[in-house]
Amino acid sequence: MLMMKTVMKTVMKNMAAQHRVARRSLPTGPVTAAYERKVDAEEVRRDDAQVALAAKLDALHESLNSLPPVPVRTDRPTESSSTSSSPLLLLLTRSLASAQSFLRKKFHLWSFGPPPRGMYIYGPVGVGKSFLMDLFYASVNVPDDSCCNNDSHSFTHVKITKRRVHFHEFMLDVHHRIFVYKQKHPRDDAIPIIAQQLAQEAQLLCFDEFQVTDVADAMILKRLLLLLLDWNVVVVATSNRSPDALYEGGINRSLFLPFIDMLKHTFDIISMEDSAKDYRLETRADGQSYFWSNKDVHGDNNSDNNMQAQLKEIFGGTASGTEAEAIHVPFGRTVQVARLNDRCAWFDFSELCYQPLGAADYISLCDRFQVLIMDRVPQLDANHLDEARRFVTLIDVCYEYRTRLVLAAKVPLDELFVEFEAQVESSDGNEELFVSEKGGNSSSFATTMIRTKEGEQFEWSATGRSGVSLAQLSAANDLAFSFRRAASRLVEMGGKEWGRQ
């Protein structure tokens, strides 16, 4: 029996080696080659959907060779023109700008052919969307990169300016640019100028976790991406949502629908929805990033004391003389940190998730600290939508910045997020949002009271109805998607090698 097993192992190894030789003899692009090296090194396991995506990214990589050059930046509006009171002059300026954009676009189409199509990749969490996009991004060289290809493959290394950014961070950057521009030109339209700035800085934009949950972001994004396409910027995005599901149920969504149509007509839409395997869950945590003790139920003081001792060991000592620190955040705000040292900050869940904080605050914390400890994390369900959204945003930012996030919770990790479904129900013409019969939070996103046709009022937290505003449907459904992503990421972030060195 032992002899047979040995023979079988030898046969399997020989077959695998022959398969690798045969595979290498086929023409491949840089993304597929990088992926196959990961497979051969047993860093990843071969997946048919990932192989297919790598081939599509190879085709995009090759098409970047025909990307038109960056146009010369036009002058910004002067202070006198922006404050001019002449409607005729303002109309003439806008007409010239529109004509310039039209001619520039037509010129590029005539001179270079159509620019490469962008790519929108969507599917469940952990199937390799961001992993493949990052391999593609790494294969594109910036113009001043003088290094040569050192491996045995002879690929054409495209050299263009590029930027890879999490979507949270990108939208914060856009809002900041709008704020700065409006300080000098309060009466001008900032979006065309910002699109031009972004095009000058990066011909390739790679977005991770593309999502739209806010009506203001929806309107900005629709115009901005259309203008970026005019400037021949190539966009690659990953998302958990299909294009048709973006901003689903959001307020004034009809204004956003033309953007979805544009996305489907000008981008290659790649679905990985058939890939149900979450590969992050195969990387088990080492037990040093997630702790739990349900002291309230079991009254186990020993377990709670042991957990606190482990957190203190991770935290280390407080630097001598260190006092509370105010971490600066864009737009003139600060986040207060009461317990900190040079590398770590320790918070209670309420400090970061019950307060009106967002991605900008969490990015500033991750810039400052390598490790964040969060204590007293509750189980999160549809009753804690606001707090859960902030917590998920914090996880996303820590993941993007490779900041170690240590959590002390009241439930095990696989029970931390309670999934829910949000749906709109209509009765006698009254449309209301129901959240999985789990009730709600009276400090909801919009209204907290519901009035029937008869004039009777109900508090949302008592009925499970989030009010008459349908703006919550998009936000609630996106949060339900985010729960699965956050749980998957926490497993990966619990690995021994996770974090900045």
Side-chain angles (χ1 to χ4, degrees), residues 450-478:
I450 299 171
R451 185 191 300 273
T452 66
K453 283 186 174 181
E454 292 74 24
E456 187 177 5
Q457 288 191 341
F458 294 93
E459 184 180 2
W460 174 59
S461 59
T463 64
R465 295 176 290 189
S466 69
V468 296
S469 173
L470 298 185
Q472 291 199 343
L473 176 61
S474 176
N477 275 330
D478 275 311

Side-chain angles (χ1 to χ4, degrees), residues 62-246:
E62 183 176 355
S63 70
L64 292 178
N65 286 304
S66 63
L67 190 66
V70 180
V72 177
R73 172 175 288 189
T74 59
D75 292 334
R76 296 183 181 182
T78 62
E79 191 67 32
S80 59
S81 67
S82 65
T83 58
S84 173
S85 59
S86 171
L88 181 60
L89 181 59
L90 183 60
L91 178 62
L92 179 61
T93 302
R94 289 178 177 174
S95 298
L96 289 173
S98 298
Q100 183 186 46
S101 175
F102 175 80
L103 291 173
R104 181 183 64 247
K105 187 176 181 181
K106 291 299 181 183
F107 172 77
H108 285 313
L109 291 176
W110 174 75
S111 299
F112 303 97
R117 290 168 61 89
M119 190 174 290
Y120 184 94
I121 309 161
Y122 72 95
V125 300
V127 298
K129 303 183 299 295
S130 300
F131 167 64
L132 267 298
M133 184 182 73
D134 287 344
L135 291 182
F136 164 75
Y137 183 82
S139 72
V140 178
N141 288 352
V142 295
D144 59 350
D145 190 351
S146 59
C147 67
C148 300
N149 184 20
N150 295 322
D151 57 29
S152 58
H153 303 281
S154 56
F155 302 122
T156 300
H157 281 257
V158 179
K159 293 191 175 185
I160 64 173
T161 53
K162 62 180 183 177
R163 181 184 181 190
R164 193 269 191 203
V165 62
H166 191 278
F167 196 67
H168 280 315
E169 188 175 352
F170 176 75
M171 289 310 300
L172 285 171
D173 179 38
V174 169
H175 283 291
H176 181 68
R177 290 174 189 250
I178 293 173
F179 174 78
V180 171
Y181 184 81
K182 285 292 188 180
Q183 295 297 303
K184 295 182 178 179
H185 311 286
R187 299 178 61 182
D188 277 356
D189 184 0
I191 302 301
I193 300 299
I194 291 170
Q196 188 175 357
Q197 292 172 356
L198 293 170
Q200 293 286 332
E201 294 166 6
Q203 297 165 274
L204 171 66
L205 272 176
C206 290
F207 293 135
D208 197 23
E209 305 299 347
F210 190 99
Q211 57 184 315
V212 184
T213 59
D214 179 82
V215 63
D217 284 352
M219 295 300 96
I220 291 172
L221 194 60
K222 182 182 75 170
R223 296 189 58 216
L224 186 61
L225 284 192
L226 283 169
L227 288 166
L228 288 175
L229 291 179
D230 276 353
W231 284 96
N232 298 319
V233 173
V234 176
V235 176
V236 177
T238 68
S239 178
N240 296 132
R241 310 298 297 268
S242 70
D244 288 320
L246 286 172

